[in-house]
Each structure stands twice: as structure tokens, then as C-alpha cells.
Amino acid sequence: EAEHYGWSFVLVSFLGTTHEKDIHTMERDPETPQWVAVDGAYWRRPEGPNSSYKFRENHPVVHVSHKDAAEYCTWKGKRLPGEREWEAAARYGHYGPPANRTLYPWGDEQDLEIAKKYINIWGNGEFPIQNHAEDGWRGTSPVKHYPPNEGGFYDLVGNVWEWMRGGKHKARIVRGASYVDTVDGSVNHAATLGARSTIHGTTTVGNVGFRCAKAPKRRTEYHYVHHDETIHGHLAIEDQYGRADRVPQRGWEDQFAWEDDEFGDLADDDEGNTIKRRKVVKPRETIMTEL
């Protein structure tokens, strides 16, 4: 959408000499004036017409709206991650008892010297002009430059904010913080595992990107329920084409196996017994605990 509308937001410190004369008259976000609307900025030209994504092919893509990200994921046969699954991935190994929950991927220490080994964030310089690049990067960093967490996921904190599935158009959810945030929250957001914000769905800016997600194929689980033939009708076996046969077929024992310890007297094969055991798909349950 940035390419369609012809402009996008760029951090003021990234503007070159081309915009030096116009920097004071250029439009800015009223809530975050350090981000300037630059004509011609989009994902191929992150800082404007005279910039290029070349030599940054392995960096996260930026200047994409929520719609752009969602459509790309669909094109790849995937989708944007939901906030719950993103949270589970980010806190992999950092959930459960309170003793296991930490603020950051490395622990609870608010130390920039430690943080720069794990995430790409703003350092000690004056924002938004002076970035001393203590972590080695003034802007985005390459994907997989920093070590993954225990689940094998990279850059879930820092580097760029990531679009989430869901939310409202005027308040789309982003997670993870970015390279303009700090370890303690003294500048912008605190780059913690719980970093969260909302922005308009059409926003395109130099510190918001996305990642794709795809759920693995789940195994169908079954369990058994009581089936009273006087109420629910005669129990029949369905074949692979959906046909119901009352005559026992090969393998029917696997569907209607009896277990005396579970069903007790119902397992007696009496002619007058109308209560049988029926195999049904077990419904999926999501158990949520505070993360």
C-alpha cells in the first residue's frame, strides 16, 4: 500500500542530504514526530527514492501494511500468526511457574551489554538522532543474526514490530518491539517478551514488518460415548464413503471394542442390552493459563 499511495514513514535520522532542505516542512506523525512521511519510500526503497533494499535482502521487510502482510502470507499458503501462538513462541521456555517467567529472552537483567547480544534495540544515544549502534546496527538487522530462543524462533523481540492476525482496522495489533525501543523503556517501548502495541491497519513505517505462520496438521483423536439404541436408533458402522452398514464389516471390532473396567456391566453382550459404545471425534479444547 505504501507503493500505491506513494509515501511511507521513515525515521528522521535516516533522511539523507536529499531531504535536508525540506526536513522542517515535511509532514510528520503528530503522535510520533520523529517519523517523517517520505515520498517514494516503500519496501524496495526503505529510506526513499535514493535508497535500496540491496544488501539487505536477508533483513525483515518493512513499509508493509497489515493488508500487505496478510495477502503475502495467503499467497505463500500461510497466514499471520495469532497473538496467542506468537506469545507461546516468544515465551518458549519462559512460562509456567513464576520462577520461569522472565522479562527478556535472556532473563530479567536490564543491562544493555547483555541485551545487545540477544536483540536489536536502541542504545544509549539520544533518540532519534544519535544511535551509537552498540548492538552493531542502526536500523534493521539480518534475520538469524541473533541466537534463537529454546523453541528455535528468531527475532521475536527487537528488530521490527510484527503484525498479528485479528484486531480492528483502526487498532491492529503488533508485537515484539523494534530497533527504536530500549531495554528499560526509557525511550519508546520496553523491548520485553510482552511488548505490545496497536496501530492503524494502513500504517506503513520503517520499523514494522511481519512473519508468516502455518499450523501443523493435527492428529484426529477419538473417544467413546454411551449410545442408547432406544433413544438414538440402531448403531451402525459407516464405511469410508459414508454408507452406514448394520452388518458387521471387517475391522468393526476396532470401532466397538469393549473394556470391562471402563464400562462395567455394559460390556455384557446381552441381547436385551440397548446401550452400546460409540466411537466419536474428541472435541478440541484450548486450556489457557496466564502467560
Side-chain angles (χ1 to χ4, degrees):
E1 289 192 85
E3 186 176 6
H4 173 74
Y5 292 117
W7 64 273
S8 186
F9 287 112
V10 178
L11 189 64
V12 64
S13 59
F14 290 159
L15 299 181
T17 55
T18 305
H19 303 91
E20 188 173 355
K21 296 181 180 179
D22 304 325
I23 192 170
H24 298 292
T25 60
M26 297 174 71
E27 293 187 15
R28 304 181 181 223
D29 186 332
E31 296 183 358
T32 53
Q34 63 269 20
W35 294 97
V36 181
V38 176
D39 292 335
Y42 69 109
W43 68 271
R44 283 182 178 271
R45 303 190 181 281
E47 287 80 42
N50 295 325
S51 63
S52 174
Y53 74 100
K54 295 298 183 181
F55 304 106
R56 286 184 281 183
E57 291 90 344
N58 58 345
H59 288 227
V61 65
V62 290
H63 297 293
V64 290
S65 66
H66 187 273
K67 179 182 177 182
D68 294 334
E71 289 184 351
Y72 177 86
C73 291
T74 302
W75 176 66
K76 295 293 289 184
K78 301 178 181 180
R79 56 173 172 75
L80 289 174
E83 193 171 8
R84 284 192 305 182
E85 60 185 344
W86 188 95
E87 184 92 17
R91 295 187 183 273
Y92 195 97
H94 296 272
Y95 54 85
N100 291 345
R101 304 179 191 180
T102 61
L103 281 174
Y104 310 101
W106 60 88
D108 290 322
E109 299 84 358
Q110 289 188 352
D111 190 340
L112 181 60
E113 291 301 314
I114 298 176
K116 70 181 184 181
K117 300 176 183 178
Y118 293 89
I119 57 176
N120 176 14
I121 55 175
W122 195 270
N124 292 320
E126 182 182 355
F127 183 81
I129 302 300
Q130 296 178 344
N131 186 344
H132 299 314
E134 288 91 346
D135 53 11
W137 306 95
R138 294 183 63 244
T140 59
S141 59
V143 177
K144 298 185 178 181
H145 173 75
Y146 294 96
N149 66 6
E150 295 180 26
F153 298 101
Y154 293 86
D155 291 339
L156 283 164
V157 178
N159 213 5
V160 296
W161 289 97
E162 299 179 16
W163 290 113
M164 296 289 106
R165 183 178 53 174
K168 297 181 179 180
H169 182 62
K170 293 183 178 181
R172 294 292 187 182
I173 301 167
V174 289
R175 295 296 304 267
S178 74
Y179 60 85
V180 300
D181 298 304
T182 53
V183 67
D184 58 357
S186 58
V187 174
N188 300 319
H189 293 79
T192 66
L193 291 169
R196 182 183 190 271
S197 186
T198 56
I199 56 178
H200 198 287
T202 59
T203 301
T204 58
V205 63
N207 71 328
V208 176
F210 69 98
R211 73 176 67 214
C212 301
K214 186 174 183 179
K217 186 176 181 180
R218 296 182 176 179
R219 178 172 60 91
T220 302
E221 297 183 356
Y222 298 91
H223 68 153
Y224 293 91
V225 297
H226 291 159
H227 180 93
D228 191 341
E229 293 184 341
T230 60
I231 300 175
H232 303 102
H234 192 74
L235 187 61
I237 302 175
E238 289 188 359
D239 61 14
Q240 58 179 327
Y241 302 106
R243 293 193 297 262
D245 296 301
R246 288 185 174 82
V247 179
Q249 306 265 322
R250 177 179 296 178
W252 71 275
E253 299 91 344
D254 297 332
Q255 294 193 45
F256 304 109
W258 297 97
E259 294 181 7
D260 293 341
D261 57 346
E262 181 180 355
F263 286 86
D265 296 338
L266 297 179
D268 296 333
D269 193 11
D270 299 332
E271 293 183 1
N273 183 21
T274 61
I275 300 180
K276 307 293 184 181
R277 192 164 69 128
R278 180 162 57 94
K279 184 180 181 181
V280 297
V281 176
K282 186 176 181 180
R284 301 193 185 279
E285 297 180 351
T286 301
I287 300 175
M288 277 293 296
T289 58
E290 182 185 0
L291 295 176

